[in-house]
Amino acid sequence: MYKILIIEDNPDIVANIYAFFEPKGFELDNAHNGISGLTLAANNRYDVILLDVMLPGMDGTKLCKKLRDELHNKTPVLMLTARDTISDKVAGFDSGADDYLVKPFSLVELESRIKALIRRHQDDHFQHSIEVGKLSLNIEEHTITREGKSLKLTPTGFKILNVLMSTSPRVVSKNELEEKVWGEDIPSSDALRTHMHGVRAQVDKPFVQAMIVTIPGVGYQIIDPDKV
């Protein structure tokens, strides 16, 4: 069965998660601070990491960023937090989180989110390598470069870019993009917009010409600016 790491300092929340998931056959580990949580994540294999934002020792955002940037750990991360503003969500996704659940949350919904993350992580139907202009995406190596510069995206951001590049220069509707990235388990209505912010910050912001285009009321496309 699935193995989950819970990095959460609230003992009641941890106890509730254990009580709900252990009878279902899930294997659980937990840490009560960021430093021990990072150690467990670095030294063990997990299917999903449940990560509180406000942690002693090291906050969840910093921990997630270390996982992605320093340890190159691709395990899906679900942020658990009482903060629900767009800026908080953007910060979480920019650090490398894949999903975001606001406290208090339903354990049934948590289970659904966990299974969706695992399914997306395991089910990779995309082609090996794609190029649009000077932007290149390699599925097997999980790398992205533009003009020779290495870019870093969350696993969800990687899938969004994969879909846009695979269909370029066709416009991909918001609904189609959500379905290809999340299947039937589409998260909150602003999730795509938040993830797109992170994708643009890497793909477009450091460069002179933008490649990602928003078609108001329709969706998104990615173009080769040298061919426009």
Side-chain angles (χ1 to χ4, degrees):
M1 194 52 177
Y2 302 128
K3 188 172 183 179
I4 301 173
L5 172 60
I6 309 162
I7 308 176
E8 165 67 64
D9 65 332
N10 185 316
D12 292 333
I13 291 177
V14 174
N16 287 337
I17 293 174
Y18 265 83
F20 183 84
F21 284 97
E22 275 196 324
K24 294 174 178 285
F26 287 78
E27 185 179 348
L28 307 174
D29 275 349
N30 73 284
H32 299 295
N33 63 73
I35 295 172
S36 59
L38 183 63
T39 300
L40 283 174
N43 295 318
N44 299 278
R45 189 201 68 80
Y46 298 99
D47 293 293
V48 170
I49 297 172
L50 305 183
L51 179 59
D52 185 25
V53 173
M54 301 297 291
L55 287 167
M58 179 189 302
D59 68 62
T61 302
K62 184 176 181 180
L63 190 159
C64 191
K65 192 168 180 60
K66 280 183 173 291
L67 273 180
R68 302 303 192 212
D69 295 349
E70 297 179 19
L71 301 178
H72 306 293
N73 188 311
K74 299 174 184 176
T75 303
V77 173
L78 173 58
M79 286 279 197
L80 304 176
T81 179
R83 298 175 173 178
D84 63 351
T85 67
I86 291 295
S87 61
D88 290 323
K89 292 178 181 179
V90 168
F93 287 133
D94 282 350
S95 72
D98 300 280
D99 202 356
Y100 202 101
L101 196 56
V102 178
K103 301 174 184 178
F105 51 81
S106 158
L107 289 167
V108 173
E109 181 180 4
L110 177 61
E111 181 182 20
S112 176
R113 297 283 191 96
I114 287 171
K115 289 181 176 179
L117 282 175
I118 293 171
R119 193 158 54 244
R120 295 203 304 268
H121 188 65
Q122 294 175 341
D123 188 20
D124 194 347
H125 297 297
F126 299 112
Q127 65 190 79
H128 175 71
S129 183
I130 315 168
E131 290 187 1
V132 177
K134 296 177 181 178
L135 180 66
S136 177
L137 182 148
N138 187 298
I139 299 301
E140 189 174 89
E141 298 176 1
H142 207 83
T143 57
I144 309 163
T145 59
R146 180 175 177 184
E147 299 177 18
K149 180 181 178 181
S150 179
L151 311 181
K152 294 181 179 180
L153 292 177
T154 67
T156 299
F158 190 91
K159 285 195 171 187
I160 289 172
L161 186 62
N162 195 337
V163 173
L164 292 176
M165 291 180 68
S166 298
T167 56
S168 177
R170 181 171 69 83
V171 177
V172 182
S173 71
K174 178 177 180 291
N175 289 342
E176 180 185 351
L177 188 53
E178 288 177 332
E179 184 177 334
K180 285 187 175 181
V181 173
W182 287 292
E184 297 180 357
D185 303 289
I186 298 171
S188 61
S189 59
D190 63 347
L192 179 59
R193 181 177 56 162
T194 305
H195 278 291
M196 284 299 302
H197 172 87
V199 174
R200 278 194 163 106
Q202 285 288 310
V203 174
D204 285 343
K205 192 173 180 181
F207 303 94
V208 175
Q209 295 176 299
M211 296 186 70
I212 300 172
V213 180
T214 300
I215 311 299
V218 181
Y220 304 91
Q221 68 178 150
I222 193 160
I223 60 169
D224 179 356
D226 294 333
K227 293 183 178 181
V228 176

